């Protein structure tokens, strides 16, 4: 298992919500705002800013593309299930998201 795969899997497995993001991305910002609105304990949400991780961030993005078929960010996971990107997340009602997380 590569370091990128280990890092990605650890984030997904250790958090109810995992977001792979880029700090400058407006769609990532939107996804993080939606999740923040759920008012979950911070320990339940894991976020990696791939653009701030150098080559490992690029390697994680490559790994996520192999796993999901999606190269773009954000890459949102809830309870180890791939949800999709920002528009996929936004299409789910807040009540449904809370149900999924809890």
């Amino acid at each position: 298992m590569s370091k990128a795969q280990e890092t990605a899997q650890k984030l997904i497995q250790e958090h109810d919500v995992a977001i792979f993001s880029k700090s400058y991305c407006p769609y990532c910002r939107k996804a993080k705002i939606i999740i923040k609105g759920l008012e979950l304990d911070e320990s339940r949400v894991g976020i990696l800013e791939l653009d701030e991780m150098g080559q490992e961030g690029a390697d994680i993005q490559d790994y996520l593309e192999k796993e999901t078929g999606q190269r773009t960010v954000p890459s949102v996971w809830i309870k180890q299930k791939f949800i999709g990107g920002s528009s996929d997340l936004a299409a789910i009602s807040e009540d449904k998201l809370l149900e999924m997380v809890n």
Side-chain angles (χ1 to χ4, degrees), residues 39-59:
E39 299 181 354
L40 301 172
D41 185 278
E42 284 185 26
S43 66
R44 297 179 67 193
V45 180
I47 300 171
L48 283 182
E49 300 293 354
L50 301 179
D51 61 310
E52 297 175 353
M53 299 177 69
Q55 185 58 48
E56 186 180 9
D59 293 344

Side-chain angles (χ1 to χ4, degrees), residues 3-62:
K3 182 166 178 11
Q5 183 178 352
E6 283 179 30
T7 302
Q9 285 300 322
K10 183 176 182 188
L11 188 80
I12 292 166
Q13 292 169 1
E14 292 183 356
H15 297 88
D16 292 332
V17 178
I19 301 174
F20 298 89
S21 173
K22 291 194 176 174
S23 61
Y24 57 81
C25 169
Y27 299 102
C28 297
R29 231 173 282 135
K30 181 179 177 183
K32 290 182 276 191
I33 288 168
I34 291 169
I35 295 302
K36 186 174 183 176
L38 300 177
E39 299 181 354
L40 301 172
D41 185 278
E42 284 185 26
S43 66
R44 297 179 67 193
V45 180
I47 300 171
L48 283 182
E49 300 293 354
L50 301 179
D51 61 310
E52 297 175 353
M53 299 177 69
Q55 185 58 48
E56 186 180 9
D59 293 344
I60 289 170
Q61 193 166 5
D62 291 343

Side-chain angles (χ1 to χ4, degrees), residues 64-81:
L64 292 170
E65 180 181 21
K66 287 177 191 159
E67 285 296 303
T68 67
Q70 174 182 304
R71 175 124 187 107
T72 58
V73 291
S75 180
V76 181
W77 300 70
I78 296 178
K79 294 284 190 166
Q80 301 180 16
K81 180 177 183 270

